[in-house]
Amino acid sequence: MSGILVGATLASYFGHSSPLIFWLAILTTIGFQITSNFANDYGDGVKGTDNENRIGPKRALQSGLLTQGSLKKGILISIIIDLLLILALLYFSFGMKEIVWVLLFLLLGVLSIWAAVRYTVGKNAYGYQGLGDVFVFLFFGLLSVIGSMFLFVKTIFWISFLPAITVGLLSVGVLNLNNLRDHASDEDSGKITMIVKIGFKKGKFYHFTILILAFISWSAFILVTATEWKHGISLLAFVPIFIHMVTVWYNKSPAMLDPELKKVALSTFALALLFYFSYYNFL
């Protein structure tokens, strides 16, 4: 959702806005997230990754709240809703005359659904091969920000890649923090994440690198585009992120990292909101 908000704000910055496209994009993103949550619950559950050693909150299949069959139905229903939202979004963004763009974004939408499901589902789930970080960066960052902006302005500006990179890296940071927390149970169950590959200690340095690069990318964007002091207010969202980095540095118990997930996720959302309000002249 943060990527959609940033993309929509960029569109307004370049002189284009549409509340209908914005809300359809938000609903589509929420749909993707719901599909992903169902699929992750199912995929990790049937593979045995969600066992008694898992540190995070109990999942539906793991706790017995839902059966495999119920989750499968949930995944199918959510995919159908996703497709309907995608079609509505593309219709109001491009109409029926720009069929090339409709087909391209329809393909990207289908790929987004595929990525949401295949993270943990299937024999060759990419989340079990250390590729989760790459896909999160591409879909939650570049595609989310650049793609949503394109729905409004029908073009791509090079400067928009800086906030897209920022949102992508912060999203990877959330995933990496989750993998730091679960690295022991992931390794035991055969789930190969980036942290399982490089180890917990190096994983911390990887985490810091991600967050620092996100700050540099966002700062560069602000320096290039800001015309008023208030345009830099969004940088305040990195204050809790830097405090979070100190907490992670001194952490020795993966279980204590669980509360930090919300901090990074909410800071990313706060970044998008502050960007929206400062560039929309609400501040």
Side-chain angles (χ1 to χ4, degrees), residues 36-281:
S36 177
N37 288 345
F38 280 154
N40 290 346
D41 197 312
Y42 176 82
D44 283 340
V46 298
K47 287 181 172 64
T49 308
D50 290 340
N51 51 45
E52 65 277 2
N53 296 322
R54 185 175 184 270
I55 297 174
K58 297 292 183 181
R59 287 178 165 178
L61 185 58
Q62 176 191 15
S63 61
L65 184 63
L66 292 175
T67 64
Q68 291 186 25
S70 297
L71 273 175
K72 282 184 177 180
K73 290 179 181 178
I75 294 170
L76 179 59
I77 292 171
S78 65
I79 287 175
I80 293 172
I81 295 174
D82 291 344
L83 289 172
L84 292 174
L85 287 170
I86 291 170
L87 291 173
L89 176 59
L90 297 183
Y91 175 78
F92 287 105
S93 297
F94 300 108
M96 297 306 296
K97 294 182 179 180
E98 301 181 75
I99 191 64
V100 174
W101 291 121
V102 171
L103 292 176
L104 175 60
F105 273 81
L106 181 59
L107 175 61
L108 291 174
V110 171
L111 285 174
S112 297
I113 295 173
W114 175 88
V117 173
R118 291 289 289 176
Y119 176 64
T120 60
V121 176
K123 293 182 179 180
N124 297 313
Y126 64 84
Y128 281 69
Q129 301 177 46
L131 296 174
D133 302 55
V134 175
F135 278 81
V136 164
F137 178 76
L138 292 175
F139 284 91
F140 283 78
L142 299 188
L143 181 58
S144 181
V145 174
I146 304 297
S148 61
M149 183 192 72
F150 193 90
L151 293 174
F152 292 93
V153 302
K154 309 301 186 294
T155 190
I156 295 177
F157 301 95
W158 73 267
I159 193 65
S160 60
F161 279 92
L162 291 175
I165 289 170
T166 301
V167 173
L169 289 173
L170 290 175
S171 299
V172 173
V174 175
L175 175 64
N176 187 65
L177 193 61
N178 181 84
N179 292 339
L180 280 169
R181 181 198 66 189
D182 296 339
H183 79 281
S185 59
D186 285 343
E187 186 173 12
D188 290 341
S189 60
K191 184 177 183 179
I192 308 301
T193 64
M194 181 66 73
I195 302 304
V196 171
K197 285 185 174 183
I198 65 178
F200 187 77
K201 186 175 182 180
K202 290 182 179 178
K204 285 187 178 182
F205 286 101
Y206 173 59
H207 191 66
F208 301 151
T209 301
I210 291 169
L211 299 181
I212 291 172
L213 287 176
F215 175 72
I216 292 173
S217 181
W218 190 263
S219 298
F221 172 76
I222 295 299
L223 286 173
V224 172
T225 62
T227 56
E228 303 178 59
W229 66 269
K230 63 182 180 180
H231 290 161
I233 289 178
S234 57
L235 287 166
L236 292 174
F238 280 94
V239 173
I241 291 177
F242 290 141
I243 295 174
H244 154 80
M245 291 171 65
V246 175
T247 302
V248 173
W249 176 258
Y250 288 104
N251 174 269
K252 295 182 179 179
S253 173
M256 299 305 294
L257 291 175
D258 195 52
E260 297 300 309
L261 282 164
K262 293 181 180 179
K263 294 179 183 178
V264 179
L266 290 175
S267 295
T268 304
F269 188 56
L271 178 72
L273 284 177
L274 289 172
F275 177 51
Y276 173 85
F277 286 120
S278 63
Y279 275 76
Y280 260 109
N281 296 317

Side-chain angles (χ1 to χ4, degrees), residues 2-16:
S2 297
I4 298 297
L5 187 55
V6 171
T9 308
L10 284 169
S12 178
Y13 176 78
F14 290 113
H16 299 265

Side-chain angles (χ1 to χ4, degrees), residues 14-26:
F14 290 113
H16 299 265
S17 62
S18 169
L20 180 58
I21 294 175
F22 172 77
W23 286 111
L24 281 173
I26 288 290

